[in-house]
Amino acid sequence: MRKTFDDIAYIWKSGQVSKLPSADEIVSSARKGLSKIKNKIIVEVASLSLALITIIWVCSIFRFQYLSTYIGLGLMFLTVAGFSFFRIRQVLFLRKINVNNAPKDYLADLKQFQLEQKKVNTTYYTWYVILLNFAFGLYFYEVLFRSGLRTIWQYFAVIIYIAWMLIAIFYINLIKSRIEEERVKQVIQDLEKLQDTLSEESQL
């Protein structure tokens, strides 16, 4: 009779499987892969936190003439804080995933994280970029076009900013997102193969 997944999980944990010398390696690799993702998100959150501190510092040091500038800075703060919230939630979720859980539960947690990861890297990030650019537009109106800079330097600053945002959106973020997603995908595939093998072993 075919064993249930809980029976397979018991075999895995009890060490009764003799034909899977790579099982521990797969679990160890999964733990390391998730740890790398978690650490990278923590670094990103730290950078975003620094941006929040900088925004507060700018508001406290400089006295702007236009309300639109303060609205822009406020929108920047809320946008960065909101995106930071979703990234922190990812870290907290990863910390809750227990590699010692039954394979069924562990895989379910990983797939749930994978879905959240796709939302953060696509929908949430898209809104983050849109709102942040709108906020910068409000901020730049006074800082650049009301600051007395010569027109050529105004356009130069705008071009540099647009170029950097395009690089950040279509190159840096795409590469970062692809690496994150591929790492989680590989972990899930390895554990699913291990699960299938355990299922076959348990029937022998």
Side-chain angles (χ1 to χ4, degrees):
M1 181 177 66
R2 185 177 179 83
K3 294 182 179 294
T4 65
F5 198 94
D6 289 336
D7 294 329
I8 297 171
Y10 175 77
I11 293 172
W12 182 8
K13 292 181 178 181
S14 63
Q16 296 176 19
V17 179
S18 59
K19 296 184 179 181
L20 289 173
S22 63
D24 288 340
E25 295 178 5
I26 292 175
V27 175
S28 176
S29 177
R31 184 185 292 110
K32 290 179 180 178
L34 294 179
S35 179
K36 287 181 180 179
I37 293 174
K38 181 177 67 178
N39 290 337
K40 286 187 176 181
I41 295 176
I42 290 174
V43 171
E44 182 179 349
V45 171
S47 300
L48 293 173
S49 299
L50 182 60
L52 293 176
I53 294 173
T54 301
I55 293 172
I56 294 174
W57 177 79
V58 169
C59 287
S60 62
I61 294 297
F62 297 97
R63 294 294 177 264
F64 300 104
Q65 298 180 8
Y66 293 91
L67 178 62
S68 60
T69 308
Y70 288 102
I71 293 176
L73 288 169
L75 183 57
M76 279 184 216
F77 186 91
L78 293 176
T79 301
V80 174
F83 191 71
S84 299
F85 167 78
F86 291 116
R87 294 301 265 173
I88 291 172
R89 190 171 67 175
Q90 284 184 291
V91 173
L92 295 177
F93 186 85
L94 284 174
R95 286 181 174 177
K96 290 181 180 179
I97 297 179
N98 188 351
V99 73
N100 294 318
N101 284 343
K104 178 181 179 180
D105 298 331
Y106 189 48
L107 281 170
D109 287 339
L110 286 178
K111 289 179 179 180
Q112 184 178 346
F113 175 77
Q114 187 180 41
L115 291 175
E116 178 68 13
Q117 184 185 47
K118 288 182 178 180
K119 287 182 181 179
V120 171
N121 290 334
T122 54
T123 304
Y124 299 160
Y125 185 78
T126 298
W127 277 107
Y128 168 74
V129 170
I130 291 173
L131 292 175
L132 195 62
N133 276 278
F134 181 71
F136 267 111
L138 294 175
Y139 175 75
F140 275 146
Y141 177 73
E142 177 176 351
V143 174
L144 286 182
F145 295 97
R146 296 293 178 179
S147 62
L149 290 175
R150 293 177 59 185
T151 303
I152 187 172
W153 291 110
Q154 293 172 348
Y155 287 116
F156 179 74
V158 172
I159 290 172
I160 291 296
Y161 171 72
I162 293 175
W164 163 247
M165 289 304 299
L166 290 175
I167 292 173
I169 296 171
F170 296 107
Y171 183 72
I172 297 176
N173 183 67
L174 287 179
I175 292 177
K176 176 181 68 65
S177 300
R178 189 178 297 115
I179 291 174
E180 277 189 16
E181 292 171 7
E182 285 297 323
R183 185 166 284 142
V184 174
K185 182 179 178 181
Q186 187 61 51
V187 170
I188 291 175
Q189 289 177 343
D190 289 344
L191 291 176
E192 286 178 335
K193 289 178 183 178
L194 178 60
Q195 171 189 328
D196 293 340
T197 307
L198 284 167
S199 298
E200 295 174 0
E201 281 279 344
S202 65
Q203 297 179 59
L204 297 179

